[in-house]
């Protein structure tokens, strides 16, 4: 992989996570160089490039895709730009990692899936939570049959970044540019975790949506991430959800509950997963990242929970963690790095990225569409997962 240039398109909050991860792992894979940061805000692009050691900046993503020195890129733009830029990158033969959601709808995601299937380059959707060692180990236990047949799963992604009503209005609060609000921003990860653990969803039985802050003040200046800026007297309507919850039925007959909130005061950034099988229960929360808990059924014995800590043998810990030792916490930045490592390793090996593919992004979009639709029609909505 000699001298393959890496670019990050979008220098906002999540672009920084990509840039940091590339800096950490690019040198381990033989000659990849940190080439460019692209953002329509040149000062923001320069700041990110200087912070993580990228060589150049530009304000035009088309220049990045046309540059023959750039072979690998991350799409870290607002949701409504993901499809256009990812399709252009695939058409140009670039290896591309697209932030979630892959698109605003499954109809928009389908052409991306089709293009990725035909392309010779490596592509993927950002599903970094699959790389949390505890969750990866729970998945391995499910595959091994330790928990028996899948029965029920709940996945809650709760954040409080939008709980402050004085947070400025931005594209995140507009359905046309962000799609469903908390559902797409956070629920994409939650839905992917449903699929990661239990497989394809056949039907959304029901869903409910809430907008708890119906309007926000327009900002006086540029907004980065979830930051505060001076506000004008004018307000704009929030027309996508602050909270969305859905009840689903899986193709294997199991049931699931998924919920996403951006206004859960005190939640910070919490993903909680609990799953039940005929032989046992596993549970995990990002608030306690150094372990998961498992209770296994034994006839005539109490089914108590046992903690299983991160260990050198846990997925990713021994190979990549800076301190591979029992109970050492693995944080968000490290897990994000593991995903970038997997992406670069797939490129180096000339193989597909299977754990978080474009196909996975498309399948998640199908479920997200069905949840959104069920919240509107107040009736079950099937998921066309077979196509």
């Amino acid at each position: 992989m000699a001298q393959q240039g890496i670019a990050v398109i979008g220098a906002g909050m999540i672009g920084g996570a990509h840039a940091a991860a590339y800096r950490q792992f690019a040198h381990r894979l033989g000659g990849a160089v940190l080439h460019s940061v692209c953002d329509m805000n040149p000062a923001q692009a320069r700041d990110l490039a200087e912070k993580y050691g990228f060589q150049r900046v530009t304000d035009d993503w088309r220049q990045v895709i046309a540059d023959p020195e750039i072979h690998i890129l991350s799409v870290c733009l607002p949701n409504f730009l993901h499809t256009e830029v990812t399709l252009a990158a695939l058409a140009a033969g670039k290896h591309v990692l697209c932030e979630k959601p892959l698109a605003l709808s499954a109809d928009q995601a389908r052409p991306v899936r089709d293009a990725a299937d035909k392309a010779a380059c490596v592509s993927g959707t950002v599903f970094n939570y699959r790389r949390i060692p505890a969750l990866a180990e729970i998945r391995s236990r499910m595959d091994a049959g330790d928990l028996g047949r899948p029965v029920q799963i709940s996945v809650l992604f709760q954040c409080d970044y939008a709980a402050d009503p004085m947070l400025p209005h931005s594209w995140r609060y507009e359905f046309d540019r962000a799609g469903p609000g908390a559902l797409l921003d956070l629920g994409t990860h939650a839905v992917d975790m449903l699929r990661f653990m239990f497989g394809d969803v056949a039907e959304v039985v029901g869903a409910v949506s809430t907008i708890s802050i119906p309007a926000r003040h327009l900002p006086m200046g540029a907004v980065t991430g979830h930051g505060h800026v001076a506000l004008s007297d004018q307000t704009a309507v929030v027309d996508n959800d602050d909270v969305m919850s859905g009840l689903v039925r899986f193709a294997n007959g199991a049931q699931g509950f998924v919920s996403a909130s951006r206004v859960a005061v005190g939640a910070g950034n919490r993903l909680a997963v609990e799953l039940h099988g005929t032989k046992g229960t596993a549970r995990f929360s990002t608030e306690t990242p150094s372990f998961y808990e498992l209770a296994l059924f034994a006839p005539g014995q109490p089914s108590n929970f046992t903690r299983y800590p991160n260990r050198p043998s846990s997925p990713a810990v021994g190979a990549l963690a800076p301190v591979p030792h029992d109970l050492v916490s693995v944080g968000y930045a490290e897990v994000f790095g593991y995903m970038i490592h997997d992406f670069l390793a797939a490129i180096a090996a000339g193989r597909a990225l299977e754990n978080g593919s474009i196909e996975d992004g498309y399948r998640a979009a199908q479920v997200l569409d069905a949840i959104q639709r069920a919240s509107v029609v107040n009736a079950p909505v099937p998921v066309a997962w077979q196509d």
Side-chain angles (χ1 to χ4, degrees):
M1 202 170 69
Q3 296 300 302
Q4 295 203 67
I6 296 171
V8 174
I9 302 178
M13 178 178 63
I14 201 64
H18 284 253
Y22 281 126
R23 182 179 68 172
Q24 182 179 8
F25 288 111
H27 72 281
R28 297 183 59 171
L29 297 170
V33 296
L34 305 181
H35 191 285
S36 292
V37 173
C38 174
D39 197 276
M40 64 182 298
N41 183 333
Q44 191 164 284
R46 284 194 298 271
D47 287 346
L48 193 66
E50 292 173 1
K51 183 175 182 180
Y52 293 109
F54 284 74
Q55 298 171 357
R56 303 178 192 174
V57 299
T58 179
D59 61 0
D60 187 350
W61 62 263
R62 292 175 180 84
Q63 289 183 0
V64 172
I65 290 175
D67 192 331
E69 294 183 359
I70 295 174
H71 309 83
I72 302 164
L73 60 89
S74 284
V75 178
C76 307
L77 295 166
N79 296 353
F80 63 96
L81 294 172
H82 288 181
T83 302
E84 179 183 8
V85 179
T86 302
L87 281 172
L90 290 169
K94 309 291 185 182
H95 304 295
V96 56
L97 188 62
C98 181
E99 260 301 331
K100 56 78 197 167
L102 186 59
L104 299 186
S105 68
D107 284 344
Q108 292 182 17
R110 190 175 296 111
V112 183
R113 188 276 306 268
D114 293 344
D117 285 348
K118 297 174 183 176
C121 49
V122 177
S123 59
T125 308
V126 174
F127 287 137
N128 47 304
Y129 289 93
R130 290 175 174 228
R131 274 81 179 177
I132 293 175
L135 291 175
E137 192 162 321
I138 291 171
R139 162 65 188 270
S140 294
R141 283 185 175 271
M142 284 294 304
D143 290 346
D146 294 352
L147 278 71
R149 178 173 48 83
V151 175
Q152 183 185 34
I153 184 172
S154 67
V155 182
L156 281 66
F157 205 138
Q158 296 170 307
C159 293
D160 62 3
Y161 67 77
D164 184 351
M166 300 311 292
L167 196 73
H169 198 280
S170 72
W171 64 267
R172 296 178 186 277
Y173 306 103
E174 299 177 12
F175 190 93
D176 287 346
R177 296 202 292 168
L183 178 64
L184 241 62
D185 191 26
L186 307 172
T188 303
H189 281 304
V191 165
D192 180 66
M193 192 52 55
L194 289 178
R195 294 190 62 253
F196 182 59
M197 293 296 182
F198 271 24
D200 279 311
V201 174
E203 179 184 42
V204 176
V205 179
V208 61
S209 172
T210 300
I211 299 175
S212 61
I213 300 175
R216 293 181 182 271
H217 286 274
L218 294 174
M220 297 286 284
V223 178
T224 300
H226 308 302
H228 286 78
V229 297
L231 303 176
S232 73
D233 293 333
Q234 293 182 307
T235 61
V237 171
V238 173
D239 65 356
N240 58 12
D241 57 279
D242 287 323
V243 185
M244 182 77 82
S245 301
L247 180 66
V248 308
R249 193 187 320 279
F250 290 88
N252 61 18
Q255 64 172 262
F257 175 74
V258 61
S259 185
S261 174
R262 62 189 182 191
V263 293
V265 175
N269 189 87
R270 178 176 62 216
L271 174 68
V273 180
E274 182 166 316
L275 54 92
H276 306 270
T278 54
K279 294 182 180 179
T281 294
R283 61 190 184 190
F284 169 81
S285 170
T286 53
E287 290 185 333
T288 54
S290 60
F291 65 87
Y292 69 94
E293 294 182 305
L294 182 68
L296 297 175
F297 174 76
Q301 301 295 322
S303 299
N304 297 321
F305 279 97
T306 299
R307 288 185 176 182
Y308 290 82
N310 293 335
R311 306 175 301 285
S313 60
S314 298
V317 173
L320 299 176
V323 184
H325 195 276
D326 289 1
L327 272 175
V328 173
S329 296
V330 175
Y332 181 91
E334 290 155 309
V335 169
F336 209 95
Y338 299 164
M339 180 194 61
I340 294 292
H341 177 276
D342 286 354
F343 176 51
L344 294 175
I347 294 169
R351 57 172 173 78
L353 178 65
E354 296 180 351
N355 191 18
S357 63
I358 293 290
E359 178 73 21
D360 287 320
Y362 171 60
R363 297 294 185 184
Q366 291 179 300
V367 179
L368 292 161
D369 273 9
I371 293 172
Q372 172 69 20
R373 180 65 178 160
S375 75
V376 174
V377 302
N378 196 30
V381 175
V383 179
W385 56 270
Q386 297 93 340
D387 69 350

